[in-house]
Amino acid sequence: MLTMRDVLRARRLIRDHLPPTPSWSYPLLDEAAGRHLVVKHENAQPTGAFKVRGALNLLAGLDEPVVTYSTGNHARAIAYAARAFGRHATVVMPEHAAELKVRAVEALGAAVVRHGANMGDAEAHAQTLPGRLVSPGDEPALIAGVATAYLELFERHPGLDTVVVPVGSGTGAAAAGLVAAAVAPGCRVIGVQSAAAPAAHDSWRAGHCVRRENRTRVDGLATGRGFEGPQALLRAHLADFVLVGDDEIDAARRLLARRAGTQAEGAGAAALAAVLARPDLMGRAVGVVVTGANATELELAR
Ligand SMILES: *Cc1c(COP(=O)(O)O)cnc(C)c1O
């Protein structure tokens, strides 16, 4: 059972590696959303996404080689943390993974194995390789590390009444819920996923993990199944869960670029897309977590 004690321990550890990320507001974004937004810039991490927090926390507690599977940001986070602690990391990435994302992982010193048509194939192959297998979803240490972002957010902005978190495997939203319950109990946490890959959303609504077709073009939100560890926390702490379209997510990326001068990949813009799509669900002071910057060449062109 994960507790705030684990989160505070993660913060002490991560502090030696990463400064807190900025969180502030943009009047032109507030105008578009019709409410006060606080943007938390996890797109300013050295790996371009929040996952590096969890990876550092997990790898700090391991002293063996690790093997994992990912289309991008989890891979890069594990590679970054492996380098920081002098461990060997092997990452299985699906064959269609974007070239720049593969090179970003290799540039950090990890070994990349390209295998399979999708994440399921990559996972199956990773299970055959030597080393401690790291699941992108079912690792409490990842959630504890990621939770440090929400500790920073609530400490700096205690007046938030809603925080919106994009969901793939659900570690980020689970972490947000855990921290909100402890330090900002009046703040509701709302999850968002793409309607083209609703496995986490549907798992939360069903009350047990389900599989769903995964047709989104938004990498960080692309998952075909619910993950039990994060889902248990989501069931306990999530106030609501919203689905948005991939086109709405692209519109939110443009808005972040124009009105906040910041680059988000699709998953990183999903929280803003949810605020714009469902104003009825949002409060007056809303935390919007821009979880990542790592758009592909194709996404940037679009
Ligand atoms: C992984 C990821 C998400 C989803 O986070 P989970 O913890 O898997 O739910 C959201 N945004 C970005 C940029 C990501 O890399």
Side-chain angles (χ1 to χ4, degrees), residues 214-238:
N214 168 12
R215 275 179 299 199
T216 179
R217 58 175 184 259
V218 179
D219 262 1
L221 309 183
T223 176
R225 66 176 174 105
F227 288 80
E228 192 44 50
Q231 282 287 333
L233 283 164
L234 296 185
R235 284 196 285 273
H237 297 302
L238 211 60

Side-chain angles (χ1 to χ4, degrees), residues 177-240:
L178 181 73
V179 176
V183 307
C187 183
R188 299 173 333 134
V189 178
I190 296 181
V192 53
Q193 202 171 29
S194 166
H201 168 274
D202 290 3
S203 296
W204 182 74
R205 296 237 176 251
H208 58 90
C209 287
V210 301
R211 291 180 178 273
R212 288 290 180 268
E213 228 178 317
N214 168 12
R215 275 179 299 199
T216 179
R217 58 175 184 259
V218 179
D219 262 1
L221 309 183
T223 176
R225 66 176 174 105
F227 288 80
E228 192 44 50
Q231 282 287 333
L233 283 164
L234 296 185
R235 284 196 285 273
H237 297 302
L238 211 60
D240 216 328

